[in-house]
Amino acid sequence: MEDADKVEDILRIEVIGRAPNVQHAATELLSVSNSIDRTHISTDSLASLLQDLPMVNLSGQGGLLQSVNIRGSARWRVQTLVEGIPIHTERRAGSAAEFLPPSMVAQARVYPAVASTQLGAGAIGGSIDFSLRVPQSPGLLLRYGTNNNYREVLVSGEHAASNVSWMVNHQHANNSKDGNSNPIQDRFEQHSLVLRKQSAQDKVRDALLLYSGANNVAKASADDPSSRFTLYPTNEHALAKVVFNWHNATVYAHNSQLTTHITRPSRRFNALESNALNTGMHISNSLALSAAGDWAIHWRTGVDARLGVQVNEREAISAAAPSVSDQRILDAQQWELYGAADATKKVSSGMLAAGTRLSSTTQSSNLRTDLISSSEQDSSVSAFIGYRHALSPSWALSGYLSHGYRVPSLTERFYRGETPRGQVLGDPDLRSEQANNVDVSLHYKALSSAFYLSVFQHNISHYIEQITLSPSLQQYRNLDRAKIAGVNYQLSHTFSAAGLAAELKLGGQWLTGEDNAGKLIADIVPAQHRMSLSIYAGKSEGFVALTHRSASDDSVPGELPTNRVNSLSMGYNYALSPAWQLSLNVTNITDAYYVTSRDDLAPPARGRQWVFSTEYHF
């Protein structure tokens, strides 16, 4: 079933995805994780769907808005995309694509290293591109989780004559419990709709519309709710894109609205209303220059804009009390104009790839005060070069050098107001981060086995961090430099045992990170390794997976030491018929008690959860 799904995705890319992959040249060199197998299941956030991939860890606090970390980079240093559309957010803590139900995701491509040349400022630490499922027949998915009374319904279908497909999803979850049976404030309700029309012959090759609305989303945190509690009463997103046949011209828009309520009982109540419209367009194409030595060149140019980025804050003694203050604390916009090109060339024993990007970004604030300048402009250049050398038909060695940049977010420059952590001040004089990355990888691929080992170092100048000025006041500032280094690996091997097909996977990473003074920096997660064994027997599939996270006693502002933890999960899938499948998954089988990340407000992880699923295709 999994192989059929992969072939289906490949065929769809061949027919619909004629536009050259923006990561094309980089994927010739890097170890790119581009699939989610049946040993990964999530009943809430995209983050928990990705957390067991070798180069990905959880970061920050928990719940539906849980964020992830790619090789030591998190938050605004990781670019999130949905179907190639850049998803921006002004929230420092939380995934940018939390509005996307995991069950609607067909594939997640995780790119490590600096990807500014391909994706712009937000990809200084890597990127994640989520591809949506495309229903091939009407289907119904039902899912139930015991720990938090999780309920999900996904109805999908297609109209073959018009090449239109659709998905409707509804999720509801109560607060869950940790390994000690204590409540975790992570309840939510979310409903989503996807409409899509694809055609290889029409002038419009792909038209996509996605709507997602969530309510009563509780922010999982180590905070005692009686002292501070954060709730997102509403979180709405509308996303659309249209891809034309002419030079793969793409137009997109993403409108988002978020309401945040921060309650400090008997002290004060803050309500934040956030709105933003992201829109843009680009054209791209490829050409082969046989006269110039068989170079394959891919070019891309476009504009990306963030319009009407506003945050309004109301403060009162309580939610029902009259306002003490009512003010706009962020009103800004951003325009980026860019042009990029990369090229690949096959040589006698390997592949050479290189690329560059020129970008001009203008940010402006409509709040005219003495403390905030009205406009900032940044011109940036990024580039990469790499070579993959074939040592033998099965072994290859690749090297990748890249230079990238990250323009400060609108929040980092212009925000001056309340957050769940207290008052935060932006700094309009922040300099753009500049990064140099070196990555050396060893690759192996044979009929039944695959392996890669990557060693990398990531040097960032003008590193931006949130500095604590007092227990209730923080400000964004440039540090001089920061260095992140590490090793990540993945091994897979298929074999037969007792007449059954089996697959063994092993992956993980080690990271270190420090600033120019030798002090440890935030977001450097403890070493984590995962091993899974899957067994295939006719109509049945089963797996067992063990994740090990090392202890960490590093002293870092805003983070706490964590204990060593082993988490065990397993699952079983049975095909009653080609169209009807039943599944059972159990996460955290041993009911282990541990925190999700080193963040000082990270909540405990969810305890044992039984998840029952059934999927039927009509």
Side-chain angles (χ1 to χ4, degrees), residues 266-334:
S266 303
R267 288 186 292 166
R268 72 177 189 271
F269 168 82
N270 294 89
L272 305 176
E273 298 285 345
S274 304
N275 299 277
L277 172 63
N278 305 319
T279 185
M281 63 84 61
H282 61 254
I283 57 174
S284 61
N285 221 320
S286 58
L287 62 151
L289 297 181
S290 300
D294 296 325
W295 284 95
I297 298 178
H298 309 268
W299 60 267
R300 181 183 180 96
T301 184
V303 59
D304 183 73
R306 306 206 62 214
L307 307 175
V309 182
Q310 298 177 347
V311 180
N312 297 309
E313 178 189 18
R314 181 178 77 88
E315 183 171 320
I317 301 300
S318 67
S323 298
V324 175
S325 66
D326 199 337
Q327 59 181 334
R328 179 162 293 176
I329 56 178
L330 179 66
D331 188 351
Q333 61 183 7
Q334 173 180 303

Side-chain angles (χ1 to χ4, degrees), residues 64-67 74-76 87-99 219 232 235 237 254 256-260 272 274 306 309 311 330 409 411 415 419-420 476:
L64 185 67
L65 277 62
Q66 174 80 62
S67 57
R75 303 182 175 94
W76 289 308
I87 307 298
H88 303 288
T89 179
E90 287 306 316
R91 284 183 294 100
R92 181 175 184 266
S95 167
E98 84 290 337
F99 59 89
K219 183 171 185 175
Y232 304 100
N235 183 24
H237 295 260
H254 172 215
S256 60
Q257 298 177 321
L258 176 69
T259 304
T260 306
L272 305 176
S274 304
R306 306 206 62 214
V309 182
V311 180
L330 179 66
S409 69
T411 291
Y415 191 94
T419 73
Y476 293 104

